[in-house]
Amino acid sequence: GAVVSQHPSRVICKSGTSVKIECRSLDFQATTMFWYRQFPKKSLMLMATSNEGSKATYEQGVEKDKFLINHASLTLSTLTVTSAHPEDSSFYICSARDRSGIGYEQYFGPGTRLTVT
Amino acid sequence: AQKVTQAQTEISVVEKEDVTLDCVYETRDTTYYLFWYKQPPSGELVFLIRRNSFDEQNEISGRYSWNFQKSTSSFNFTITASQVVDSAVYFCALSEAAGGFKTIFGAGTRLFVKA
């Protein structure tokens, strides 16, 4: 089955630093990837849609300068949290849409737990 | 705009009881997909089922069953003879064709199954 990986699975960083999270589709090509964040005991909130070779589309209220998304290849999208602060601590999950599948086929990564101290 | 409502925040049952998790959705699109996901404490989402808007057939998979009713915009999930391993957060989600198939999640229902 289709597999999406995320790296790292956990990261702790100091306030003010930037951290990059990778999302990879391992056995399929993904023209579109989605980034979600999940606060403890809350739902997944869509942050942005990442399209290969073009700029990401951000959901309302998400700071695009804060959360930089790059989708440079058909198998890799990265989310960089710039100048991280404790309130950015969250669980970040990506999903990838199979290029060869029907539109609804999305596969979720295992998530990255970010802690900003 | 698409929206998913899971009114039950937490449900607690005793093992072997049946439990139904409610999901009500809103969409203006005629082509859409509904999903249920399980999120255990590890955090990784586990896909349970997908239903498209043109298929209202109910589905059963082992102890799990789903009731899709377009007339009431509901997609409810029933676990029969619940087990402790069913304890998790369950999310209902909606993906619209008009929205580029981005998936929007409900608030989730936390299910506790006690032995």
Side-chain angles (χ1 to χ4, degrees), chain A residues 20-31:
Chain A
K20 181 186 287 187
I21 302 170
E22 294 185 347
C23 176
R24 291 182 186 273
S25 55
L26 298 186
D27 48 3
F28 65 98
Q29 293 184 325
T31 50

Side-chain angles (χ1 to χ4, degrees), chain B residues 97-111:
Chain B
F101 291 113
K102 58 184 181 183
T103 304
I104 302 300
F105 287 78
T109 297
R110 187 173 296 271
L111 175 65

Side-chain angles (χ1 to χ4, degrees), chain B residues 49-112:
Chain B
I49 190 172
R50 175 185 57 240
R51 258 289 173 262
N52 75 58
S53 52
F54 303 108
D55 182 3
E56 273 191 89
Q57 240 183 347
N58 293 327
E59 183 157 336
I60 298 175
S61 176
R63 296 184 297 107
Y64 295 169
S65 62
W66 292 268
N67 185 320
F68 177 24
Q69 291 196 344
K70 289 176 74 171
S71 60
T72 55
S73 296
S74 64
F75 186 43
N76 297 336
F77 171 32
T78 298
I79 301 175
T80 304
S82 59
Q83 299 176 2
V84 173
V85 293
D86 295 328
S87 297
V89 180
Y90 291 86
F91 290 101
C92 180
L94 168 67
S95 178
E96 297 177 330
F101 291 113
K102 58 184 181 183
T103 304
I104 302 300
F105 287 78
T109 297
R110 187 173 296 271
L111 175 65
F112 295 98

Side-chain angles (χ1 to χ4, degrees), chain A residues 3 18 23 26 37 40 47 59 66 69 71 90-91 94 96 109:
Chain A
V3 178
S18 295
C23 176
L26 298 186
R37 69 186 296 181
M47 298 174 66
E59 295 298 304
K66 172 86 174 162
I69 292 173
H71 193 156
S90 189
F91 192 52
C94 73

Side-chain angles (χ1 to χ4, degrees), chain A residues 36 38 43 59 97 104 106, chain B residues 33 39 50 100-101 103 106:
Chain A
Y36 295 83
Q38 184 180 29
S43 184
E59 295 298 304
R97 178 186 299 161
Y104 58 77
Q106 290 179 27
Chain B
Y33 298 88
Q39 188 177 43
R50 175 185 57 240
F101 291 113
T103 304

